[in-house]
Amino acid sequence: LRAAQDIRSIDEVPLFSAFGREIHPSSIAVLPLDNLTGYEDQAFLVEGIHEAITSTLSGISALHVKSRTSTASYRGSDLKLTEIAHELGVAKVVTGSVLRDGDTIRVNIQLVDAQTDEYIWTETYERDLRDMLALQSEVARSISREVSVELTPAETARLRQTREVDPEVYETYLKGMYFVKQLNGEANMRGMQYLQEAITIDPGEPLAYAGLALGYNTIGHGVSSHDAFPKAIAAAEKALELDELSGEAWAALAEAQLYYDWDWQKSEQTFQRAMQLSPSLDHSYAHYAYLLMLLGRNEEAIEFSEKARDLSPVDPLWAGFTAWLY
């Protein structure tokens, strides 16, 4: 109440999420895109584009982007957009849809003010599948402009450095990640088969190697997995050889260095690089928090675990992990 007495306009009143966290004015959540392809078996494509847009946006340091794992839980939700935004603790929401005609992809994107439920900006992109990396960079640049945040020179350069992808390889990669991201044994193995297939078609595709590293790390945390982490390291290093700016590959490498090599100094450096390149990877912050706990840096561990919670506030895993740290 005392603070409210000093506020002169409603625009100055700080907003808070459902979990009591202050909402940053440049915070964004990319909600799951609607599948307008007419086919359920195209879910891998729609979810892949959703993740790609989230990942590309998260590379812009001035934006606060919620993780894909957090927003994915709202697929098919009956909640109002304003209610979802309140739970996630964001000021703006990205919605959209994907339609496909052969190798032609049409993506409709809307940027919505989460407080007023009003459209800020909307655009439709029609691209060939081979131009999907350029599309996600274009979407990221447009959203950053509409939110009025400035890109650093390095971010601008990175968003301009796009390349074409082989449609068959990219589609196979997206199928692989669709299953690997489900984080269960059977789906993970199926996803890794697709990723191996993508590498067989094109041994120079860094995305597939980074996905494979994630899959091997998932196996590494289970039983009967003595060779999984070394394979994760090899796949991550190959991905970085092909694309040194792959935040996903740096994150996978850091995780394997932590749990297999026990090289905690090198792992810390690798985690920091991963978080710099892909700031919305909630699991990077959580695993890094575990590393800090091992090093006896408990206050820092809790700080980074809370960052994982902030990126994915509706994920019970990070809430439980943070409680364990406390």
Side-chain angles (χ1 to χ4, degrees):
L1 288 174
R2 285 195 299 271
Q5 291 171 359
D6 296 328
I7 296 175
R8 298 180 181 275
S9 75
I10 190 67
D11 292 334
E12 297 177 59
V13 178
L15 299 177
F16 292 88
S17 71
F19 299 96
R21 298 173 184 267
E22 188 169 352
I23 296 176
H24 193 282
S26 297
S27 55
I28 286 184
V30 183
L31 296 186
L33 306 178
D34 293 330
N35 182 358
L36 301 186
T37 66
Y39 300 96
E40 285 297 324
D41 64 0
Q42 292 296 302
F44 74 91
L45 174 69
V46 180
E47 293 193 19
I49 294 174
H50 169 235
E51 178 168 3
I53 292 174
T54 302
S55 177
T56 306
L57 277 175
S58 77
I60 300 174
S61 56
L63 294 176
H64 295 245
V65 185
K66 299 299 176 179
S67 71
R68 181 206 66 87
T69 53
S70 187
T71 58
S73 63
Y74 290 99
R75 180 175 299 281
S77 173
D78 293 329
L79 291 175
K80 295 179 181 179
L81 188 147
T82 51
E83 294 173 326
I84 294 174
H86 184 57
E87 288 188 358
L88 290 173
V90 293
K92 296 171 181 65
V93 171
V94 175
T95 63
S97 60
V98 177
L99 188 145
R100 179 174 190 174
D101 181 11
D103 279 348
T104 300
I105 311 298
R106 180 177 297 164
V107 182
N108 179 251
I109 299 292
Q110 301 95 30
L111 178 65
V112 186
D113 186 305
Q115 187 177 9
T116 63
D117 200 15
E118 295 178 351
Y119 288 108
I120 300 173
W121 164 82
T122 182
E123 185 64 74
T124 298
Y125 302 85
E126 188 170 299
R127 300 285 188 278
D128 189 272
L129 188 59
R130 69 179 62 251
D131 296 319
M132 293 310 295
L133 300 186
L135 182 148
Q136 65 199 48
S137 292
E138 188 176 345
V139 170
R141 290 197 303 270
S142 296
I143 290 176
S144 64
R145 182 182 63 248
E146 296 300 327
V147 179
S148 300
V149 298
E150 291 188 13
L151 304 178
T152 67
E155 291 165 355
T156 300
R158 188 160 65 240
L159 289 174
R160 287 177 177 169
Q161 291 175 357
T162 60
R163 61 184 174 88
E164 290 188 347
V165 293
D166 182 304
E168 182 184 6
V169 173
Y170 191 64
E171 188 166 343
T172 306
Y173 158 75
L174 290 181
K175 288 178 181 178
M177 295 309 296
Y178 174 76
F179 289 106
V180 166
K181 291 288 185 178
Q182 294 179 25
L183 297 179
N184 72 66
E186 184 176 347
N188 189 63
M189 293 304 297
R190 185 177 179 184
M192 291 175 68
Q193 289 173 355
Y194 277 117
L195 293 170
Q196 290 281 14
E197 182 181 338
I199 290 171
T200 299
I201 301 170
D202 181 5
E205 178 49 68
L207 292 171
Y209 286 105
L212 205 59
L214 173 63
Y216 279 125
N217 275 341
T218 301
I219 295 173
H221 287 292
V223 297
S224 305
S225 56
H226 62 281
D227 62 344
F229 282 128
K231 290 181 178 179
I233 292 172
E237 289 179 341
K238 181 63 177 178
L240 293 171
E241 177 186 321
L242 297 167
D243 179 10
E244 65 174 359
L245 298 180
S246 171
E248 291 80 2
W250 283 107
L253 179 60
E255 191 175 330
Q257 289 171 337
L258 166 61
Y259 295 106
Y260 181 77
D261 285 342
W262 290 11
D263 190 336
W264 295 343
Q265 181 177 4
K266 184 181 292 185
S267 179
E268 178 170 16
Q269 295 171 349
T270 309
F271 270 124
Q272 289 172 348
R273 182 62 170 154
M275 292 182 290
Q276 177 190 26
L277 291 170
S278 295
S280 74
L281 292 179
D282 52 337
H283 59 84
S284 288
Y285 292 88
H287 289 298
Y288 183 51
Y290 183 71
L291 169 61
L292 291 169
M293 185 275 294
L294 294 177
L295 296 173
R297 292 154 58 183
N298 296 326
E299 291 186 5
E300 290 179 80
I302 290 173
E303 175 189 347
F304 278 88
S305 184
E306 289 285 10
K307 287 183 178 180
R309 287 185 63 211
D310 184 57
L311 285 167
S312 197
V314 296
D315 191 332
L317 179 60
W318 303 145
F321 176 63
T322 305
W324 181 76
L325 283 176
Y326 277 120

